[in-house]
């Protein structure tokens, strides 16, 4: 019997497994083969791979420094913000680090001490509560395995099976469909761009240079002509001069947008969610790494004092994170309400004047 089973070895799950290894018998179950992904980028999560200052800060708090091989070019200093609907644009200074997402996940995974039992390419199909513990049904290489644990932590991302199985439906946790393509480009753009157009989505689209590719994507309202709207975005971007001829790869993922702080209490008391599974992600920018790390740190702190009653302690440890989500929600109208956004952009507040691109 394991003390703790963690489902998902993304940034949240790998961080929690690393932090709990010394104190508990931990099982980590991950459906991807992260060792292969590290070398070939196969099975990498669809992501922009930008490490924001908040995430850099938490890495610093955990005494972690990024290895060189995780970083990719170009490093970007301004974000080009285009309102396609109202035909205006501005540039703003930003301090992201451009990452190879597959290598980033592989690096975080490599920090997990050997004391943690890891099952890779293993899909956790379902979880049953039996007396005071949980039984996990795991599918690996076509075979079913059962593992038992006293506590289960769902770190299984936006489409979380653990959330669906154990947490009441939360209508304010909206799940978007993200579509992203990789285009080969003759030269790297010096900007990360974001695109707003409420006729296509009430969230946003983006383009991110990554070595000799340009990633173009959008977070779209699910089941509302997602692919048609993505195509429309691309034709608008082509008209703006974005070179979108040769797509090398198309990928997709779900992306959570929490309209209030996540609800953390489930019916069986020994179960909790961390990272995007819980809804820990910025509703304004979809920055998720800092939230994955911070929620893993909060869960580790709550579990330090024992397994019993850890959920209320986790709830307490995430007070600042919950306030953060509420504040980000207050910021939304200034980014997503077309007339307010236009006013903010027209004011030129905090904008950078890019030489040769003055508007
Ligand atoms: C298109 C897109 C672009 C993004 N760009 C950025 C960005 O530039 N910067 C940023 O900070 N954030 C970005 N995000 C958000 C960020 O990717 C997530 O918030 C972050 O990865 C959350 O980490 P996590 O560990 O909670 O979940 P995930 O990274 O999603 O990890 C969940 C893990 O669980 C595994 N899993 C799922 N179900 C099971 C199961 N049943 N059994 C076993 N394993 C399972 C998955 O394989 C995965 O490895 C982006 C998201 C999307 C969709």
């Amino acid at each position: 019997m394991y003390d703790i089973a963690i489902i998902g070895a993304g940034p949240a799950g790998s961080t929690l497994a690393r932090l709990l290894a010394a104190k508990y018998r931990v099982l980590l179950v991950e459906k991807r083969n992260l060792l292969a992904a590290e070398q070939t980028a196969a099975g990498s999560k669809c992501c922009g791979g930008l490490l924001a200052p908040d995430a850099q800060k938490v890495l610093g708090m955990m005494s972690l420094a990024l290895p060189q091989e995780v970083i990719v070019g170009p490093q970007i200093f301004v974000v080009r913000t285009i309102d396609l609907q109202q035909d205006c644009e501005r540039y703003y200074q930003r301090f992201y680090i451009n990452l190879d997402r597959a290598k980033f996940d592989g690096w975080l995974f490599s920090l997990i001490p050997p004391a943690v039992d890891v099952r890779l390419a293993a899909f956790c199909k379902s979880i049953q509560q039996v007396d005071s513990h949980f039984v996990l049904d795991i599918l690996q290489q076509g075979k079913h395995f059962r593992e038992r644990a006293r506590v289960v932590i769902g770190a299984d991302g936006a489409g979380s099976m653990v959330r669906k199985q154990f947490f009441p439906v939360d209508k304010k946790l909206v799940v978007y469909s993200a579509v992203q393509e990789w285009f080969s480009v003759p030269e790297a753009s010096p900007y990360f761009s974001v695109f707003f157009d409420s006729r296509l989505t009430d969230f946003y689209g983006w383009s991110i240079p990554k070595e000799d590719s340009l990633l173009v994507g959008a977070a779209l309202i699910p089941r509302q002509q997602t692919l048609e709207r993505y195509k429309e975005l691309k034709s608008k971007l082509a008209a703006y001069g974005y070179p979108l001829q040769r797509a090398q790869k198309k990928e997709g993922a779900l992306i959570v947008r929490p309209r209030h702080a996540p609800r953390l209490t489930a019916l069986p008391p020994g179960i909790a969610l961390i990272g995007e599974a819980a809804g820990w992600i910025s509703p304004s920018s979809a920055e998720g790494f800092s939230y994955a790390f911070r929620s893993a740190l909060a869960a580790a702190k709550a579990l330090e004092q024992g397994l019993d009653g850890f959920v209320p302690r986790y709830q307490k440890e995430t007070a600042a994170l919950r306030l953060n989500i509420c504040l980000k929600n207050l910021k939304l109208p200034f980014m997503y309400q077309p007339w307010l956004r236009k006013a903010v952009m027209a004011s030129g507040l905090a904008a950078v004047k890019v030489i040769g691109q003055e508007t």
Side-chain angles (χ1 to χ4, degrees):
M1 164 98 75
Y2 288 96
D3 295 316
I4 301 167
I6 302 170
I7 318 300
S14 286
T15 301
L16 185 64
R18 177 172 60 80
L19 297 171
L20 295 177
K23 189 171 165 83
Y24 291 111
R25 218 178 145 224
V26 179
L27 170 70
L28 178 62
V29 184
E30 167 56 51
K31 69 179 177 187
R32 294 182 287 158
N33 184 349
L34 280 174
L35 296 175
E38 191 183 3
Q39 281 152 34
T40 65
S44 167
K45 184 182 162 156
C46 162
C47 181
L50 294 176
L51 191 74
D54 283 348
Q56 296 166 28
K57 185 175 165 192
V58 197
L59 285 176
M61 284 163 61
M62 296 190 290
S63 301
L64 293 177
L66 274 185
Q68 178 67 37
E69 61 270 20
V70 167
I71 299 170
V72 294
Q75 296 308 322
I76 305 149
F77 306 116
V78 284
V79 57
R80 181 183 185 193
T81 304
I82 305 180
D83 187 328
L84 295 164
Q85 197 172 357
Q86 301 178 104
D87 199 22
C88 53
E89 69 177 85
R90 285 282 182 201
Y91 296 80
Y92 297 96
Q93 189 177 15
R94 287 293 178 271
F95 304 92
Y96 297 110
I97 296 173
N98 204 354
L99 297 176
D100 178 319
R101 172 68 201 252
K103 290 188 175 158
F104 184 58
D105 281 5
W107 168 63
L108 291 167
F109 178 73
S110 74
L111 302 174
I112 300 170
V116 173
D117 279 351
V118 178
R119 281 193 178 227
L120 288 180
F123 180 69
C124 182
K125 282 196 77 183
S126 64
I127 300 165
Q128 301 301 322
Q129 192 189 13
V130 179
D131 304 326
S132 59
H133 66 272
F134 297 93
V135 179
L136 281 67
D137 177 11
I138 299 165
L139 185 64
Q140 191 176 28
Q141 291 177 332
K143 288 190 184 144
H144 282 270
F145 297 89
R146 278 172 193 272
E147 295 288 3
R148 292 181 304 147
R150 291 179 61 205
V151 158
V152 171
I153 307 288
D156 48 347
S160 175
M161 173 274 294
V162 182
R163 185 179 72 236
K164 283 181 199 146
Q165 208 186 326
F166 290 99
F167 287 75
V169 175
D170 180 353
K171 289 201 173 126
K172 291 208 157 179
L173 202 85
V174 188
V175 182
Y176 284 70
S177 300
V179 184
Q180 184 168 270
E181 278 179 294
W182 293 62
F183 294 90
S184 61
V185 283
E187 63 186 67
S189 153
Y191 320 117
F192 157 44
S193 308
V194 296
F195 313 111
F196 296 102
D197 190 334
S198 61
R199 295 163 299 185
L200 302 178
T201 177
D202 62 0
F203 215 172
Y204 74 104
W206 57 85
S207 82
I208 301 167
K210 210 64 83 180
E211 298 294 349
D212 51 5
S213 297
L214 185 72
L215 272 62
V216 174
L220 299 149
I221 303 166
R223 293 177 295 279
Q224 286 193 13
Q225 300 167 308
T226 316
L227 287 178
E228 287 80 353
R229 288 189 176 180
Y230 174 68
K231 262 192 195 158
E232 215 179 314
L233 170 71
K234 279 196 301 179
S235 53
K236 287 185 183 195
L237 296 187
Y240 247 88
Y242 282 82
L244 309 181
Q245 281 86 31
R246 281 172 290 157
Q248 304 153 302
K249 185 163 91 170
K250 188 172 193 171
E251 53 192 7
L254 297 175
I255 189 160
V256 166
R257 195 181 198 192
R259 304 314 287 261
H260 62 60
R263 300 204 172 108
L264 301 176
T265 321
L267 263 186
I271 204 148
L273 301 170
I274 60 170
E276 206 178 324
W280 294 124
I281 180 167
S282 164
S284 53
S285 66
E287 188 275 312
F289 295 145
S290 70
Y291 295 82
F293 296 141
R294 287 173 69 185
S295 59
L297 278 167
K301 194 133 191 249
L303 285 159
E304 237 168 50
Q305 294 165 51
L307 300 180
D308 292 334
F310 81 96
V311 175
R313 292 196 296 275
Y314 174 45
Q315 184 113 5
K316 212 166 140 200
E317 290 295 336
T318 50
L321 212 48
R322 225 168 262 291
L323 177 66
N324 173 299
I325 299 258
C326 295
L327 294 176
K328 296 274 180 189
N329 267 301
L330 291 179
K331 189 178 158 189
L332 289 190
F334 298 95
M335 290 175 75
Y336 294 100
Q337 188 66 253
W339 67 269
L340 255 178
R341 180 174 62 235
K342 190 169 188 182
V344 172
M345 287 175 76
S347 77
L349 191 74
V352 172
K353 282 201 171 122
V354 173
I355 299 151
Q357 303 285 342
E358 289 91 348
T359 53

